[in-house]
Amino acid sequence: MVHPTSMASRASTQAFANAVGARRDARASRSTAVVPKVLSAPMARVNKSAGSFIAGARLASSRRVGGRATERGTRLVVTSSGANSFGNFFKVTTFGESHGGGVGCVIDGVPPRMPLTQEELQFELDRRRPGQSRITTPRNEFDTCEILSGTVNNITTGTPIAVLVRNKDQRSGDYSEISVAYRPSHADATYDYKYGIRAIAGGGRSSARETIGRVAAGAVAKKILKTVAGVEILAFVSGVRDVQATNVDLETFTMADVESNIVRCPDQEVAVRMIAAIDEVRVRGDSCGGVVTCVMRNVPKGLGAPVFSKLEADLASAMMSLPATKGFTVGSGFEGTMMTGSTHNDEFYCDKDGNVRTRTNRSGGIQGGISNGETIVIQVAFKPTSTITSKQMTVTREKVESELRARGRHDPCVVPRAVPMVEAMAALVLVDHVMQQQAQNHLWGDMGFAGGDIEDILPPLADTSSRANNGAPFGGFAPMKDADVEKNAYSED
């Protein structure tokens, strides 16, 4: 016997397929072009990083009937993109839109028994929030986060952690002009091309407000990395327009140095010039771009999974998923192309403690797609904000050329607020690779198969010999004692 719900579901699916087919035929009847001949075998493709399954369809060769192109043998393609999730072992899914009820994330893979408070997440979100200064968007959001699940009495349980930030200061009426007109260089047009619909107010998912979930998840990842490996991740604004900060000591600058001015550049003299450069475009309704440099200190050797998950490849993917990014480099970057091998190579030596080090760091802490223990240095380029109040020419959805002067509240330069976003994405990549390294290469404990000390080959992520981490394996979190369990226990009312 067929369940009536199943029958209804099939009927609904068939109706949708018929509607799609009718719409496709209508498009074909209006077209005078020949449909390209595409022939492929039925296939199924699995996207491992997103956990998605894509069932492929066979598109038969086209033919012409009565002067128009038609298609034969086409089947509906059913997809599940998973494009809103990031990571494999430490998986983060972000949700929400700029002018919706709220934004946030779900974090899966967080180790249990880790102390975690709302204040720790809020610290990073406060660095990202709007309305910080005259060189950021004036939208007044406090971005107060709520931890909805995954913790008991500020201790992680190992289950998914859900974080929510409610939107409070939306002004959807400011977007009436762009309800039909596309903002030049914005995602308005491409979202319409792809989905046939878009969230007009605030840009929906294309807004940088989506990054709240990333920053919240990055705060958790930062804490794990600091606890198990002593990793420190810091970013700063190294360029605004043609103003460059070239004298920052990448090994010694601190968070306090970065947060000492509104543009987040640790070089105070250069920061003044950067602020002036942003002010100059802000007062005339224009915008400008810049560069964020991020350093990752004390990263364990051996992170990275050649060949398709090399560490710099995953970092590049993470950074280029941020809004407004247009470029990524690691180490010497494009400048390295102007050097010779003899000047670019990082020579090895042994330090006083017997550790293998490099005398220079043009590789940026990564060689062969694997971390070498030196400081990882990357740079991320951000384009000028596309929404500006200056007059621009554009077209409407009906393909009518028109003039647009956008309203709304937008950053004249995104890089000051991009600093915590870059740090967050770096943390998400590193924590995922740390977990992968632990799962694959530390599975056998301290001894390798041949009886040799695995520490000679794969250094542990933290000092376990001194029990510096309260007896926890691999520098993790120690099992809770009975008293701790009782203290953090709870019951349902």
Side-chain angles (χ1 to χ4, degrees), residues 150-227:
T151 65
V152 174
N153 295 333
N154 297 328
I155 301 292
T156 60
T157 62
T159 56
I161 295 176
V163 181
L164 172 66
V165 172
R166 301 180 190 275
N167 294 327
K168 302 288 187 180
D169 190 31
Q170 309 99 308
R171 294 183 187 174
S172 299
D174 289 348
Y175 293 83
S176 57
E177 290 88 353
I178 64 171
S179 61
V180 293
Y182 297 133
R183 286 171 287 182
S185 289
H186 199 278
D188 294 339
T190 50
Y191 267 60
D192 253 0
Y193 299 160
K194 181 173 180 65
Y195 300 110
I197 189 173
R198 62 188 170 95
I200 296 169
R205 289 287 284 173
S206 67
S207 166
R209 193 146 183 79
E210 175 272 331
T211 63
I212 282 177
R214 306 183 193 217
V215 173
V220 180
K222 277 185 173 184
K223 178 158 189 177
I224 296 172
L225 291 167
K226 186 70 173 179
T227 302

Side-chain angles (χ1 to χ4, degrees), residues 210-295:
E210 175 272 331
T211 63
I212 282 177
R214 306 183 193 217
V215 173
V220 180
K222 277 185 173 184
K223 178 158 189 177
I224 296 172
L225 291 167
K226 186 70 173 179
T227 302
V228 303
V231 174
E232 182 182 29
I233 302 173
L234 288 174
F236 66 95
V237 175
S238 56
V240 170
R241 299 177 68 185
D242 59 348
V243 182
Q244 305 295 317
T246 58
N247 295 319
V248 177
D249 188 333
L250 301 183
E251 297 296 334
T252 61
F253 81 91
T254 65
M255 171 79 75
D257 295 330
V258 175
E259 298 296 325
S260 63
N261 55 72
I262 59 177
V263 79
R264 291 201 167 97
C265 175
D267 187 324
Q268 302 301 322
E269 293 183 4
V270 173
V272 173
R273 293 162 50 205
M274 287 180 174
I275 294 170
I278 297 174
D279 277 336
E280 192 270 328
V281 297
R282 177 182 61 85
V283 296
R284 54 186 173 90
D286 212 334
S287 64
C288 62
V291 177
V292 172
T293 294
C294 182
V295 301

Side-chain angles (χ1 to χ4, degrees), residues 46 100-101 127 129 146 184 326 405 416 490:
V46 175
R127 299 175 65 212
R129 78 174 187 87
E146 306 169 41
K326 285 299 179 183
R405 191 185 296 271
Y490 69 100

